[in-house]
Amino acid sequence: MIFEMSALSCAFPGCRWSVLLLVLVLLVCSALPIDASASVYPLRGTEGSNLTNVTTKKAFPVIGVNYDHVRKPFEIALWILLALLMKLGFHIIPRVSSVVPESCLLIVVGLLVGGFIKVIGEKPPVLDSQLFFLCLLPPIILDAGYFLPIRPFTDNVGTILVFAVIGTLWNAFFVGGSLYALCQIESVDLAGIGLLSCLLFGSIVSAVDPVAVLAVFEEIHINELLHILVFGESLLNDAVTVVLYNLFEEFYKVGTVTVLDVFLGVVCFFVVSLGGVLVGVIYGFLAAFTSRFTSHTRVIEPLFVFLYSYMAYLSSELFHLSGIMALIACGVVMRPYVEANISHKSYTTIKYFLKMWSSVSETLIFIFLGVSTVAGPHAWNWAFVVGTVVLCLVSRVLGVIGLTFIINKFRIVKLTKKDQFIVAYGGLRGAIAFSLGYLLSDSHPTRHLFLTAIITVIFFTVFVQGMTIRPLVELLAVKRKKESKRSINEEIHTEFLDHLLRGVEDVCGHYGHYHWKDKLSRFNKTYVKRWLIAGENFREPELIAFYRKMELKQAIMMVESGQLSSSLPSTVSMQNIEPKPIPRVSKKQEEEIRRILRSNLQNNKQRMRSRSYSRHTLFEADEEDNMSEVRLRKTKMEMDRRVSVMEGRVSVLDWTSGVLTFPNLNIAEIQPRNCNKPMFALVTIFLQVSHYLTVPANRESPRIGVRRVRFESDNQVFSTDRLPTAHFEKPSYPSTPDAVSLEAEFPKRVNQKTDIGPKVYASDNHQRELDYQSLARCLSDPGPHKEEEEDDDDDEIFMS
Amino acid sequence: MGASQSARTEHEFKDLADRTGFSLEQINNLNKRFRQLSSNKETLSREDLASIPDLDNNPIRLQIINAFFDKRNLSQSEVGIVQEIGFEEFLMVLTHFQPAAMDITEDNREKLRRTKLRFLFNMHDTDGNGIITLEEYRQAVEELLSKAGTIAPETVKAIADAAMLDVASTTRGKMEPDEFYEGITFEHFLQILKTLDIETTMHVRFLNLDTANMRCGK
């Protein structure tokens, strides 16, 4: 897509600028109708009043304008649409988007739009705090929480908590205290600001913002550890921010602080954070439990996820608990159970809706930030504002260094200086700080000053730090995120390591990290999963779930990739790794083969597309929409594997060209043209199988057209009534007369109808039966040995 | 214990500390644990380890126990199983689980990775021929899933086969149909697990061994 975009931009150099300009103009115009309606109506009103005096008949209004009716949704939709068009516009210009992070561009757009609006004379809309906290923030946090990588998070949770709680506290007090000291200096002329005010301001401006962090870090792809440290910190410091903000706001109103108040503040912190988590966990379990019963109403599954999470957020906001922590906890708790219960399509829906909403929210937030900057009443004070910016930076750096020093004593994987630098540099402030500042009641005389300072800090961090972090990361050669997907070997060994380390801990007599992790996981398996996961799936160990997911992905990839056989260069197949098999097929395998062939004959609508590794069939348990197709492919793989198992000398089966070489079997090159691949597979199996068969020369007339196969021990021929549509060409190995006669045997088997119903057998078709027999006879030695007694029950089983 | 004996053990411990890289305190704690497990004998046998109750729930307990008695983990060159191990050998096995030092050089880091991965490799390679064959790998996966309820053997086989195929494709690339991939060599093993960051994940904290908390192994 990048190539197309660059091609587009190359082809029409002036075009993209004009598009952007057009979009900007449209955005401005959207603000205009806000007052346009005011002008429209009075006009009509006067006209109406004139008319009542005259009482002349007015013509029926064919078309009219009623903007007020749709005003609010119209504006909202238009804003969102234009914001997204801007986002689209940035990506058309590849040069700019690689240097400047998107958040910066969006703020600039917001500034421009705000500027236009102001120039025109209207009042630009400000980022309403309620809108922000109730509508724009939750999708972003839910997206982050639902897809939070659990393993790195839990491995580093201690570090994250230390940074989030102690780091934020340190920041708040340092910035607040220093600013107060600054205000005391005579020349600054800010003596009016009390300590509490400064501390309040410090608490607002000190929190690292998840939105900004996400926006910037998303693009630089640093390694998982650093990402989760900064991001986790930005999520978990919400509790601290909420408590400090409410605390200082209360104190400011009251005016005095007692020790009891401080103590209650500490208690409040625990209540807020743990309460938020508790609320989230409860809603998470509710969602998981609900998803257990949704197997008949798959369409609304994603809604449960979204609504329960939103309720968790709102409920905790209701009680002044930390909404962000509730949302994170809800997402984390519900995810493993919900994903075990919902269908694949629902999972995809959830993923895409979350990404979509969070993307829209983020875009809107940044644009509104820009617009609000232009709108808001500002009060500039050089000392205060510059002091804020500098102090924020200084306190962040000091805080990170100091805390890392302490933390490294407890960490196995220590944080290096590079890591510390990135963590400190990644402490971006964002819209949450702005909204909290905006929420300050007007009783604060210095509210405007605070807002100005907050905006300056935000701009500084987002622009300066956001833009320079990418080259710095490259300069410092910080480890980047490894892009590869997890392979099954890694998964196996991760689990293996878990058990190994736990075992060694037990040998050493030591209840460590792995011991508790294992206890939790066992508790989860025995009690929790039983209640929350539908059906029998809860018994499934993780490795198998992973394997199934992997298979599913591969199968879907196969379905989607269609004719691109060369794109899946399966270089190794089973025969390369399986030791030379003894061609003895047990009864169980025979049963298996029969079942596979039967199911193939039942669903032979699909065509075989491309070849991949040989795999086993998937579990039958899952009932997906297109699983039958997938399963068919799987069974084909299975047959492929069985074929190669049975005949170790078979060369690579090249499905797409339909060329099958059996160098040791002296069978003609079979080229199924219009053939149905399952039938083709059937034939190949048959041909394979028949190599080992001995066919009774004195075959009686077929009873019901069904034969079974027994290899080597019992000599019967297995076939079905319907023949594949294999069209056999001139053999390329005409070394034996047998091969030639093959062609003669099957001269006209082109385009047979392959729509076979559920019953495999048919009562007539002796001709085909005989054909098969003769084919078998061609290829194998006749052996007059037949056991009839066992035919009955087996045939019945087969025919039922 | 007489003063002379404790002095001797002190000296031994110091010696061990130098050779294995554990601190004196860690060696003291581990020695106490060793004594506890071996009921104050000089050597530890399989039965002693097998009787640790916490290990019962571990699906790979047999392999873990075997690992302690595997000669390959005790010294580089020999192959085979010993019946009993002394304290020094106990420590040698446990050195595989030490964390990497903070200021470790790249070379040493690589060496550490190799040592740890070699330990894992030896656990899988039960017949000691230096190659993990398909059968051995299947066995390993089966053991891993053994405590997870009833699993169809087909699935186990499928997973092991898929894993093996993955290794073969990643390491050998395109293979002729006639070629046979005997098994995972140590070099291949290194290659497929290089993303796991073994040197940081495979460690046990020997720091806070609380002797009062230690459960009796009998």
Side-chain angles (χ1 to χ4, degrees):
Chain A
M1 190 176 130
I2 298 186
F3 294 120
E4 294 163 18
M5 288 303 180
S6 57
L8 181 69
S9 58
C10 290
F12 308 108
C15 182
R16 49 178 204 265
W17 291 109
S18 52
V19 166
L20 278 180
L21 197 61
L22 178 66
V23 169
L24 268 177
V25 170
L26 279 174
L27 227 134
V28 170
C29 291
S30 70
L32 290 181
I34 300 169
D35 264 354
S37 61
S39 50
V40 168
Y41 262 101
L43 209 59
R44 296 206 76 200
T46 50
E47 193 181 307
S49 60
N50 284 342
L51 287 172
T52 48
N53 293 339
V54 178
T55 61
T56 50
K57 191 164 177 308
K58 196 162 57 98
F60 182 76
V62 175
I63 192 166
V65 178
N66 187 359
Y67 184 64
D68 259 359
H69 185 59
V70 297
R71 180 174 150 189
K72 212 153 166 72
F74 189 84
E75 280 171 17
I76 295 174
L78 197 61
W79 269 100
I80 298 179
L81 185 63
L82 295 174
L84 294 177
L85 283 173
M86 291 313 302
K87 198 169 158 121
L88 195 67
F90 295 141
H91 288 285
I92 298 183
I93 314 173
R95 271 177 304 133
V96 180
S97 62
S98 59
V99 170
V100 184
E102 205 176 271
S103 43
C104 301
L105 290 172
L106 288 169
I107 294 184
V108 167
V109 167
L111 284 174
L112 287 173
V113 170
F116 267 118
I117 297 179
K118 204 156 194 171
V119 158
I120 294 176
E122 302 290 338
K123 188 174 175 315
V126 188
L127 181 60
D128 179 26
S129 288
Q130 199 178 22
L131 174 74
F132 174 75
F133 277 115
L134 292 183
C135 300
L136 293 179
L137 190 60
I140 302 179
I141 304 296
L142 180 60
D143 181 36
Y146 195 78
F147 293 110
L148 195 68
I150 294 295
R151 202 171 250 267
F153 187 75
T154 48
D155 285 343
N156 294 302
V157 78
T159 313
I160 294 177
L161 277 175
V162 167
F163 275 128
V165 176
I166 303 182
T168 312
L169 280 173
W170 155 261
N171 276 345
F173 282 103
F174 184 79
V175 171
S178 314
L179 276 177
Y180 181 64
L182 188 70
C183 293
Q184 300 306 97
I185 303 177
E186 289 300 323
S187 57
V188 173
D189 189 31
L190 283 172
I193 308 180
L195 179 62
L196 280 174
S197 263
C198 285
L199 285 176
L200 180 59
F201 176 72
S203 70
I204 296 176
V205 89
S206 63
V208 177
D209 185 78
V211 180
V213 164
L214 257 182
V216 169
F217 273 47
E218 200 80 2
E219 300 179 1
I220 60 178
H221 299 299
I222 50 171
N223 64 52
E224 211 171 44
L225 172 68
L226 286 178
H227 187 258
I228 199 71
L229 278 182
V230 182
F231 185 60
E233 179 198 343
S234 68
L235 289 175
L236 295 185
N237 67 17
D238 179 60
V240 180
T241 312
V242 163
V243 169
L244 280 181
Y245 181 81
N246 287 327
L247 207 67
F248 287 131
E249 182 92 338
E250 281 297 316
F251 289 167
Y252 184 79
K253 284 206 199 106
V254 172
T256 55
V257 183
T258 63
V259 178
L260 182 66
D261 290 330
V262 174
F263 175 70
L264 283 178
V266 172
V267 171
C268 179
F269 165 71
F270 284 107
V271 167
V272 161
S273 51
L274 294 175
V277 170
L278 186 68
V279 168
V281 165
I282 292 175
Y283 273 100
F285 279 127
L286 277 177
F289 192 65
T290 312
S291 74
R292 188 179 162 189
F293 303 106
T294 55
S295 50
H296 299 289
T297 45
R298 294 266 183 218
V299 185
I300 56 174
E301 273 173 342
L303 277 176
F304 281 118
V305 170
F306 300 142
L307 288 173
Y308 273 113
S309 315
Y310 196 47
M311 288 294 291
Y313 181 76
L314 293 176
S315 308
S316 60
E317 286 289 324
L318 176 69
F319 295 110
H320 271 253
L321 304 174
S322 166
I324 290 185
M325 294 191 86
L327 212 43
I328 303 282
C330 185
V332 164
V333 163
M334 99 176 131
R335 186 178 176 198
Y337 309 109
V338 162
E339 286 196 350
N341 286 334
I342 60 176
S343 68
H344 189 72
K345 281 187 182 160
S346 296
Y347 169 71
T348 312
T349 310
I350 291 178
K351 191 166 86 161
Y352 275 103
F353 261 86
L354 281 178
K355 296 279 175 220
M356 182 184 79
W357 271 329
S358 64
S359 178
V360 169
S361 283
E362 203 180 287
T363 313
L364 278 175
I365 287 175
F366 283 115
I367 288 190
F368 267 117
L369 209 52
V371 173
S372 310
T373 311
V374 176
H378 292 299
W380 183 268
N381 182 306
W382 274 102
F384 190 80
V385 173
V386 172
T388 312
V389 174
V390 168
L391 283 170
C392 281
L393 276 178
V394 167
S395 79
R396 175 89 182 149
V397 169
L398 286 178
V400 167
I401 293 181
L403 285 174
T404 318
F405 181 72
I406 303 174
I407 289 172
N408 269 344
K409 293 203 201 304
F410 297 100
R411 280 180 68 91
I412 299 285
V413 180
K414 319 268 183 214
L415 294 176
T416 63
K417 291 253 182 321
K418 261 194 251 173
D419 294 337
Q420 290 173 39
F421 176 74
I422 296 290
V423 170
Y425 208 67
L428 308 173
R429 305 328 193 246
I432 291 186
F434 178 78
S435 306
L436 282 176
Y438 200 73
L439 267 180
L440 281 175
S441 60
D442 279 322
S443 62
H444 289 269
T446 47
R447 183 167 170 263
H448 300 316
L449 179 61
F450 285 174
L451 269 179
T452 313
I454 292 174
I455 287 185
T456 316
V457 173
I458 295 177
F459 272 40
F460 182 81
T461 56
V462 171
F463 278 92
V464 174
Q465 288 177 232
M467 275 205 275
T468 53
I469 200 167
R470 198 200 305 242
L472 273 174
V473 159
E474 282 171 22
L475 192 71
L476 292 174
V478 177
K479 255 198 324 182
R480 306 295 272 262
K481 179 161 71 166
K482 41 187 194 305
E483 291 295 340
S484 55
K485 280 195 190 291
R486 230 173 145 69
S487 76
I488 189 152
N489 278 302
E490 286 170 11
E491 186 69 27
I492 291 177
H493 282 100
T494 314
E495 257 195 60
F496 192 83
L497 258 184
D498 270 348
H499 290 297
L500 173 65
L501 289 170
R502 212 197 103 221
V504 171
E505 275 186 0
D506 289 333
V507 166
C508 293
H510 159 242
Y511 284 165
H513 190 56
Y514 289 95
H515 184 93
W516 296 115
K517 213 154 88 155
D518 187 70
K519 267 215 157 70
L520 182 66
S521 135
R522 268 191 293 136
F523 173 75
N524 187 21
K525 205 173 296 207
T526 31
Y527 297 111
V528 181
K529 277 191 178 169
R530 193 182 292 271
W531 284 105
L532 297 180
I533 295 189
E536 291 300 305
N537 288 348
F538 67 90
R539 290 194 211 282
E540 205 170 64
E542 273 181 33
L543 186 58
I544 295 194
F546 177 84
Y547 175 66
R548 274 177 50 195
K549 262 201 198 129
M550 193 180 76
E551 290 265 291
L552 188 60
K553 273 191 210 136
Q554 277 227 327
I556 288 181
M557 219 166 60
M558 262 162 60
V559 171
E560 285 175 357
S561 69
Q563 294 82 354
L564 306 171
S565 67
S566 55
S567 71
L568 295 177
S570 162
T571 54
V572 181
S573 55
M574 275 311 295
Q575 74 249 14
N576 289 116
I577 63 173
E578 187 115 33
K580 304 282 185 279
I582 309 161
R584 180 166 296 124
V585 181
S586 65
K587 176 140 188 222
K588 184 170 179 297
Q589 276 179 307
E590 181 197 326
E591 214 50 66
E592 187 72 284
I593 292 177
R594 205 176 293 151
R595 185 179 58 79
I596 290 165
L597 291 171
R598 198 183 334 161
S599 65
N600 260 331
L601 294 172
Q602 288 172 3
N603 329 331
N604 59 356
K605 288 188 290 283
Q606 291 85 357
R607 278 177 295 118
M608 209 12 217
R609 298 279 171 80
S610 57
R611 174 174 62 88
S612 171
Y613 302 154
S614 307
R615 297 265 197 250
H616 284 274
T617 51
L618 277 181
F619 278 8
E620 308 277 303
D622 238 66
E623 208 53 45
E624 297 287 283
D625 303 57
N626 55 353
M627 273 310 273
S628 56
E629 170 153 354
V630 168
R631 225 187 306 151
L632 185 71
R633 258 157 254 272
K634 289 295 145 183
T635 52
K636 267 183 277 293
M637 294 296 108
E638 170 68 40
M639 282 175 6
D640 179 3
R641 205 193 85 79
R642 295 230 178 259
V643 165
S644 50
V645 162
M646 288 194 297
E647 177 53 67
R649 293 161 299 203
V650 169
S651 59
V652 171
L653 302 173
D654 191 355
W655 290 105
T656 49
S657 66
V659 170
L660 197 68
T661 52
F662 292 99
N664 298 309
L665 279 185
N666 298 330
I667 293 185
E669 239 179 81
I670 302 161
Q671 201 134 30
R673 276 214 218 108
N674 303 312
C675 113
N676 187 303
K677 296 286 179 150
M679 290 303 105
F680 177 46
L682 170 61
V683 170
T684 60
I685 281 211
F686 178 78
L687 292 171
Q688 288 295 314
V689 159
S690 56
H691 181 76
Y692 294 100
L693 287 185
T694 57
V695 175
N698 51 343
R699 203 67 171 117
E700 292 157 16
S701 63
R703 273 178 304 138
I704 311 192
V706 171
R707 296 279 175 256
R708 284 171 307 109
V709 131
R710 294 231 185 132
F711 305 107
E712 293 192 342
S713 47
D714 305 292
N715 311 310
Q716 307 252 333
V717 176
F718 170 68
S719 68
T720 65
D721 57 328
R722 307 288 187 98
L723 268 187
T725 54
H727 172 77
F728 300 110
E729 298 248 293
K730 182 133 189 74
S732 59
Y733 299 91
S735 41
T736 66
D738 289 348
V740 178
S741 63
L742 199 102
E743 200 190 19
E745 294 289 336
F746 290 86
K748 292 178 187 55
R749 293 282 175 228
V750 187
N751 285 336
Q752 292 244 351
K753 215 163 82 73
T754 56
D755 198 16
I756 299 181
K759 312 259 184 214
V760 176
Y761 56 91
S763 42
D764 30 30
N765 274 327
H766 290 217
Q767 172 59 27
R768 295 193 191 147
E769 183 59 33
L770 286 171
D771 273 345
Y772 257 103
Q773 281 187 50
S774 49
L775 171 64
R777 226 176 290 133
C778 292
L779 304 170
S780 54
D781 322 314
H785 178 76
K786 198 159 76 105
E787 277 150 34
E788 289 286 0
E789 350 27 289
E790 300 162 55
D791 278 357
D792 305 48
D793 22 332
D794 277 315
D795 273 337
E796 264 169 37
I797 296 171
F798 185 66
M799 288 188 287
S800 60
Chain B
M1 285 202 208
S4 60
Q5 195 175 14
S6 65
R8 180 176 57 97
T9 26
E10 277 294 321
H11 179 71
E12 271 175 23
F13 284 179
K14 182 108 189 14
D15 197 33
L16 282 174
D18 291 332
R19 271 190 290 153
T20 57
F22 285 115
S23 72
L24 267 181
E25 187 195 337
Q26 287 170 335
I27 293 198
N28 265 319
N29 288 335
L30 287 170
N31 192 33
K32 288 203 192 100
R33 178 65 178 170
F34 184 81
R35 296 263 160 214
Q36 194 183 31
L37 286 177
S38 66
S39 343
N40 272 321
K41 299 200 302 279
E42 282 296 323
T43 56
L44 200 60
S45 70
R46 268 174 206 273
E47 290 72 35
D48 297 323
L49 280 185
S51 56
I52 301 177
D54 289 322
L55 274 185
D56 285 339
N57 283 318
N58 204 317
I60 54 171
R61 63 191 282 265
L62 281 176
Q63 283 159 310
I64 296 178
I65 295 176
N66 283 339
F68 274 90
F69 294 93
D70 193 339
K71 272 198 206 163
R72 286 172 298 176
N73 293 330
L74 303 177
S75 66
Q76 292 295 339
S77 43
E78 297 169 32
V79 178
I81 312 281
V82 294
Q83 291 307 316
E84 298 195 330
I85 52 171
F87 182 54
E88 186 174 337
E89 284 88 13
F90 185 66
L91 281 184
M92 287 300 300
V93 172
L94 289 177
T95 55
H96 290 97
F97 295 95
Q98 281 171 329
M102 182 159 158
D103 47 0
I104 195 168
T105 63
E106 266 311 305
D107 282 340
N108 282 342
R109 186 183 283 275
E110 190 57 35
K111 267 196 239 153
L112 193 62
R113 288 194 72 231
R114 289 185 81 98
T115 324
K116 294 191 191 235
L117 280 175
R118 186 84 221 181
F119 187 85
L120 273 187
F121 188 82
N122 290 340
M123 283 184 83
H124 291 313
D125 183 20
T126 42
D127 59 5
N129 61 355
I131 296 181
I132 304 180
T133 61
L134 184 61
E135 268 314 308
E136 285 170 346
Y137 210 37
R138 277 189 189 149
Q139 186 68 21
V141 174
E142 200 179 304
E143 291 279 306
L144 195 59
L145 294 174
S146 57
K147 288 270 188 283
T150 48
I151 308 290
E154 286 300 315
T155 324
V156 171
K157 219 152 149 304
I159 294 178
D161 291 346
M164 199 74 174
L165 276 172
D166 189 44
V167 177
S169 324
T170 346
T171 53
R172 286 280 284 271
K174 193 155 177 56
M175 282 177 73
E176 293 308 310
D178 291 340
E179 282 181 75
F180 180 63
Y181 181 70
E182 299 82 20
I184 311 179
T185 62
F186 184 55
E187 293 305 316
H188 293 169
F189 197 68
L190 278 180
Q191 204 178 340
I192 57 171
L193 290 184
K194 69 172 175 288
T195 47
L196 266 188
D197 275 345
I198 271 279
E199 66 270 15
T200 46
T201 46
M202 183 163 152
H203 68 262
V204 168
R205 286 167 196 253
F206 294 106
L207 292 174
N208 34 358
L209 274 181
D210 189 355
T211 53
N213 241 358
M214 282 199 280
R215 294 254 233 95
C216 186
K218 305 298 173 205

